[in-house]
Amino acid sequence: MIAPGATLGVLGGGQLGRMFAMAAHRLGYRVAVLDPDRDCPAAGVANVHICAALDDHKAWHALAGACAAVTIETESAPAEALAFFAARLPVAPGEQALRITQDRAREKRFLAANGFGVVPFRVIATEADAAAPDIDALLPGLLKASRFGYDGKGQFSVRSRQELVSAARQLGGPGVLEQRVELAAELSVILARSADGATAVHPVPLNRHASGILDLSVVPAPLPHDISHLAVAESMRLAALLDYRGVLCVEFFLTADDRLLVNEIAPRPHNSGHFTLDACHTSQFEQQVRVLAGLPLGDPGLTAPHHGVAMANLLGQLWAEGEPRWEEALSNPHARLHLYGKSSPRPGRKMGHLTCIADSATDAQALASRIRSNSRPTLVPESAGEARPARLHAAASWRDMLEARLS
Ligand code: AMP
């Protein structure tokens, strides 16, 4: 066991690294983060920020010197880095698990070879692969980059072989063509697994995506219990096969014709597990800390098991007219606002999230959606002059208030 007071290292400094650091601090650990961006979300909360590329060997030496154990917050971290750290320190996850899960082609082959349901696919390594006549059976489909794709980035919707060939050319590297399947639902399993194989599974969320990006997660997933149960069993089998250490997320498709398919695996905490911060005894980030430090896993269950939870992502477009109005998110006792400290709110960029707890999953979803849409800054009607953000219920200034009280 690594005692509190020690420094835990993380490769990557995005919001997942930030929330890992916050969980580590609560248990008395220090945190060192390696990330090339001076203003990355984790930089503001980590004790040490090594500002360098994730494949910078000098930085690896510096991090190894500063830390008692190392984890990742992104699958873009080089697997060789984990091999480097594993020769010196405890690491979670291990190099092999990262190698498989960071490469879509390798991951799909691994899943198919081990009997997991996957969408019909073909690895497209060359233009000739894209032009193969038997590829038609997979169309219409999606060509996805094998590496470094996220939130729908590096993906092309293709309907014909010509479109596929041109998409493969644009991709400029290896990809995976997936048949487009009709989805009935998307769900995910988030679990933590220790070096000794002990496993703790969080309640299963149902996930709704918009434009390839997670929009809402709802817990408990409003699905027949057997489906969530099967997804958990398959995820535990997968974690054992990978000899996994750390927090793992397995995303599933439930197809319209009732197949349960593994979409992809994330070797780290996942956006669809953010509800665990406010709704579970132990969050996915605290589990990540616990596994890394060799502490016992925490209870992954809901603190209010008869309630429903919803997590709504707050993307950059919510900032299009200026800073959102947070009054309702901050004043409603059933809502919790999380902001990641990012300064440039580009459309599609994950800026924060909102968690709501209510009597049922449906009520929680309605509340989260309502508070999020009420947070959008409203424009003053055109007749009132040039359009500008308005605070519709802005309080009077303190000077006016004071004057009114005194008069
Ligand atoms: P991904 O980044 O691969 O998880 O894809 C993002 C989202 O696009 C998924 O969560 C689905 O909503 C949708 N999607 C991805 N692949 C497929 C597919 N083969 N068939 C239908 N929808 C898909």
Side-chain angles (χ1 to χ4, degrees):
M1 173 188 144
I2 297 169
T7 302
L8 304 177
V10 55
L11 300 178
Q15 63 268 18
L16 302 180
R18 176 186 175 95
M19 290 183 266
F20 167 82
M22 290 159 88
H25 286 164
R26 202 171 63 76
L27 289 177
Y29 292 95
R30 292 166 52 80
V31 174
V33 58
L34 170 61
D35 190 284
D37 178 3
R38 194 166 300 286
D39 295 323
C40 68
V45 297
N47 302 86
V48 177
H49 176 199
I50 301 173
C51 193
L54 294 182
D55 60 358
D56 182 325
H57 289 227
K58 260 211 213 127
W60 294 357
H61 280 280
L63 191 65
C67 294
V70 172
T71 187
I72 58 170
E73 65 108 49
T74 166
E75 53 274 25
S76 306
E80 306 76 57
L82 284 188
F84 169 89
F85 290 111
R88 296 160 173 83
L89 305 164
V91 297
E95 177 204 351
Q96 240 349 75
L98 177 60
R99 253 183 221 291
I100 293 169
T101 54
Q102 73 183 178
D103 182 302
R104 205 182 281 278
R106 206 175 283 152
E107 178 178 290
K108 280 268 192 293
R109 285 181 172 136
F110 177 86
L111 289 166
N114 286 289
F116 293 92
V118 287
V119 170
F121 74 97
R122 180 79 60 85
V123 174
I124 306 289
T126 62
E127 239 178 86
D129 292 335
D134 62 346
I135 213 87
D136 289 353
L138 297 179
L139 298 173
L142 286 146
L143 179 67
K144 303 180 177 181
S146 225
R147 295 284 307 267
F148 308 117
Y150 68 97
D151 288 345
K153 292 192 176 68
Q155 296 194 3
F156 299 83
S157 181
V158 289
R159 282 159 304 172
S160 64
R161 223 182 306 160
Q162 290 90 311
E163 283 185 9
L164 175 62
V165 170
S166 115
R169 211 171 285 147
Q170 278 187 66
L171 202 58
V176 174
L177 173 68
E178 289 182 12
Q179 190 180 61
R180 186 180 277 284
V181 292
E182 198 186 331
L183 301 179
E186 296 186 59
L187 55 154
S188 54
V189 174
I190 298 117
L191 61 82
R193 191 169 185 274
S194 308
D196 64 2
T199 305
V201 187
H202 287 293
V204 174
L206 178 90
N207 303 319
R208 192 179 80 189
H209 292 77
S211 311
I213 306 178
L214 183 66
D215 180 46
L216 269 170
S217 291
V218 179
V219 182
L223 290 171
H225 183 70
D226 284 352
I227 294 174
S228 303
H229 200 76
L230 178 60
V232 169
E234 285 292 84
S235 302
M236 289 182 64
R237 184 168 80 84
L238 179 56
L241 275 170
L242 289 169
D243 192 19
Y244 198 78
R245 263 189 331 278
V247 172
L248 180 77
C249 173
V250 188
E251 290 185 79
F252 289 91
F253 288 157
L254 180 66
T255 64
D257 58 1
D258 272 346
R259 289 172 296 154
L260 185 67
L261 309 177
V262 176
N263 169 25
E264 58 184 1
I265 316 169
R268 52 167 172 79
H270 191 258
N271 193 172
S272 64
H274 287 357
F275 73 93
T276 62
L277 283 165
D278 300 311
C280 293
H281 294 288
T282 315
S283 76
Q284 58 172 349
F285 300 102
E286 183 173 334
Q287 298 288 47
Q288 188 182 16
V289 173
R290 287 175 181 238
V291 174
L292 190 60
L295 307 178
L297 294 177
D299 182 338
L302 295 173
T303 48
H306 303 298
H307 287 66
V309 189
M311 188 286 311
N313 265 339
L314 304 174
L315 303 182
Q317 49 268 40
L318 194 61
W319 276 250
E321 308 290 345
E323 184 70 17
R325 298 151 42 94
W326 299 126
E327 289 86 339
E328 195 172 348
L330 293 172
S331 62
N332 190 309
H334 307 293
R336 293 264 285 177
L337 176 65
H338 297 252
L339 295 172
Y340 307 147
K342 296 182 182 178
S343 49
S344 32
R346 292 185 295 278
R349 191 171 194 212
K350 291 174 180 168
M351 301 294 290
H353 71 269
L354 187 68
T355 311
C356 290
I357 302 185
D359 286 343
S360 68
T362 315
D363 289 353
Q365 177 174 344
L367 183 62
S369 301
R370 191 193 78 207
I371 294 180
R372 180 173 58 180
S373 55
N374 288 349
S375 306
R376 196 175 298 283
T378 346
L379 292 178
V380 174
E382 297 255 329
S383 58
E386 213 170 283
R388 63 186 161 82
R391 307 278 153 185
L392 286 185
H393 304 290
S397 82
W398 67 268
R399 283 177 219 283
D400 292 344
M401 253 175 89
L402 190 60
E403 213 163 279
R405 298 277 185 282
L406 294 177
S407 63

